[in-house]
Amino acid sequence: MVRVTTTDRRAVLRAGAGIAASGVLTTGCATGTAPGGAAAHPADPSSRAPASRTPAPAPLLRYPAQIPHGPRDRPQVALTFHGDGDPATANALLSAAEEHGSRVTVFAVGTWLDAHPGLARRVLDGGHELGNHTLRHLDINAMPEADADAEIRGCAERLKALTGSIGTWFRPSRAARASPLVERLAQRAGYPHVLSYDVDPLDFTSPGGPAVVRNVMADLRAGSIVSLHFGYADTVAAFPGLLHELDRRGLRAVTTTELLT
């Protein structure tokens, strides 16, 4: 059974012992401020030097406007991460993926990029992919048009200032799918597709590392797009086991662009 949720993501974390011992803190990705208390409207990032360029969005004619998964006939999956929370968890997950020879897609929250601009370069220099997950990670489907547009464009502007591109993909915040209005706004902002997912292990509820692995593998198929999160100790704890299970099934974790093209 596919697990997708539009629930407000405010679960209380239960930090894993290993992560806590190493000093890694976790933070929910549904807050209106960036980690560390950064304001929702921080300084213009345009003065920062661009990181490695991320590809611009491109229309894929064989796919619908909202894409829940890729081809089922190739042994590949896309592991996608909501980019928010403590940078230590982001670095731990990116490093683990790189050591394994895997690549992921990170949907960055704009305020997270304001608070930690160096993470844009960290993601891209690791061979991964960056996308837009709105400016403040609010319930974008419930917003008036002007506010929703500002959320999409605000993150796009930050991505372009840091990377030279608005990001390869857009994903709505606090929802598995975009409303018709948000879909139109995303296209108007330059994103031909909205990236959804067909596997949601609910790692943001902190069910424990083994449960995250079980939840992913219960629904995973070739071509799946998995929704995961930075900022959560259980996700870090689950990741080595998850990569092992992918190997055992003969599946490879690739960027979303590689999965779909």
Side-chain angles (χ1 to χ4, degrees), residues 24 38 48 53 57 69 72 88 95 129 151 164 172 183 195-196 213 250 257:
V24 175
R48 300 169 185 147
R53 182 177 294 273
H69 62 79
R72 299 298 193 186
S95 294
E129 191 166 45
E151 284 293 311
E183 181 184 310
L195 196 73
S196 184
V213 176
T257 295

Side-chain angles (χ1 to χ4, degrees), residues 25-101:
L25 302 178
T26 57
T27 181
C29 67
T31 57
T33 57
H41 300 286
D44 183 354
S46 60
S47 61
R48 300 169 185 147
S52 306
R53 182 177 294 273
T54 191
L60 303 175
L61 300 181
R62 60 186 287 198
Y63 291 101
Q66 300 204 45
I67 304 175
H69 62 79
R72 299 298 193 186
D73 59 351
R74 293 183 293 188
Q76 299 176 337
V77 298
L79 304 179
T80 69
F81 288 87
H82 296 216
D84 203 356
D86 192 303
T89 61
N91 282 311
L93 287 160
L94 292 171
S95 294
E98 291 151 16
E99 289 169 7
H100 186 261

Side-chain angles (χ1 to χ4, degrees), residues 95-148:
S95 294
E98 291 151 16
E99 289 169 7
H100 186 261
S102 299
R103 297 295 177 261
V104 304
T105 300
V106 178
F107 285 92
V109 175
T111 51
W112 186 68
L113 293 174
D114 285 325
H116 311 290
L119 284 175
R121 179 177 294 280
R122 171 69 186 89
V123 170
L124 296 176
D125 286 354
H128 310 290
E129 191 166 45
L130 268 174
N132 179 331
H133 199 37
T134 75
L135 177 60
R136 295 174 294 162
H137 202 274
L138 304 177
D139 186 357
I140 192 168
N141 285 343
M143 289 182 171
E145 180 173 348
D147 293 344

Side-chain angles (χ1 to χ4, degrees), residues 1-3 72 76-79 198-201 213-228 242-243 245-247 249-253:
M1 179 180 68
V2 174
R3 298 179 178 89
R72 299 298 193 186
Q76 299 176 337
V77 298
L79 304 179
D198 63 332
V199 178
D200 186 353
V213 176
R214 288 194 303 271
N215 292 345
V216 171
M217 301 312 296
D219 295 335
L220 195 76
R221 300 168 54 193
S224 282
I225 298 173
V226 185
S227 173
L228 294 163
L242 177 56
L243 294 175
E245 287 298 312
L246 291 181
D247 287 343
R249 289 198 188 182
L251 296 170
R252 188 163 65 97

Side-chain angles (χ1 to χ4, degrees), residues 57 132 149 152-153 156 166 183-192:
N132 179 331
D149 187 60
I152 297 169
R153 293 183 182 275
I166 64 172
E183 181 184 310
R184 290 196 300 273
L185 293 174
Q187 291 174 340
R188 190 186 306 167
Y191 302 97

